Amino acid sequence: MIVFYKLWDKMNRMGIRKKDLKDKKIISAATINKMKNNEIVTTESIDKLCDYLQCQPEEIIEFIPSSSKKNSSNAEESIEIE
């Protein structure tokens, strides 16, 4: 799962509100709500945020593997690709 707590923390430290993102038309209110709920957003939205905040994606998002995905990814690692 991709989580956005780093985004909210960075924005807080920079004095930027969610309303500012919407008002400056960086991202829509619907996208902000998706991020608040750690739902799927487009890479275009991530790109716009990184451009506005002058940061790299890893500064605003984090991937947290779920236990079921973790088990399936371990199985995939054993497959050799030539």
Side-chain angles (χ1 to χ4, degrees):
M1 170 190 331
I2 301 292
V3 293
F4 295 94
Y5 72 89
K6 288 183 173 184
L7 170 63
W8 313 130
D9 182 54
K10 183 170 189 68
M11 287 174 50
N12 187 43
R13 286 185 278 118
M14 294 176 76
I16 298 171
R17 302 170 301 160
K18 294 172 186 143
K19 184 179 185 317
D20 297 330
L21 297 178
K22 186 184 79 151
D23 290 348
K24 293 181 181 186
K25 299 185 182 197
I26 308 302
I27 56 175
S28 69
T31 299
I32 293 168
N33 283 331
K34 285 182 178 183
M35 292 176 149
K36 284 180 3 186
N37 294 314
N38 294 318
E39 295 175 3
I40 295 170
V41 298
T42 65
T43 53
E44 180 182 19
S45 296
I46 302 295
D47 179 65
K48 288 178 181 180
L49 283 166
C50 288
D51 187 46
Y52 180 70
L53 299 172
Q54 292 296 290
C55 68
Q56 294 295 312
E58 64 268 14
E59 296 178 58
I60 61 171
I61 62 175
E62 182 176 345
F63 171 71
I64 300 177
S66 66
S67 59
S68 61
K69 284 186 178 181
K70 192 174 184 180
N71 291 337
S72 66
S73 69
N74 287 342
E76 292 176 90
E77 288 176 11
S78 65
I79 299 172
E80 290 185 32
I81 301 174
E82 294 183 27

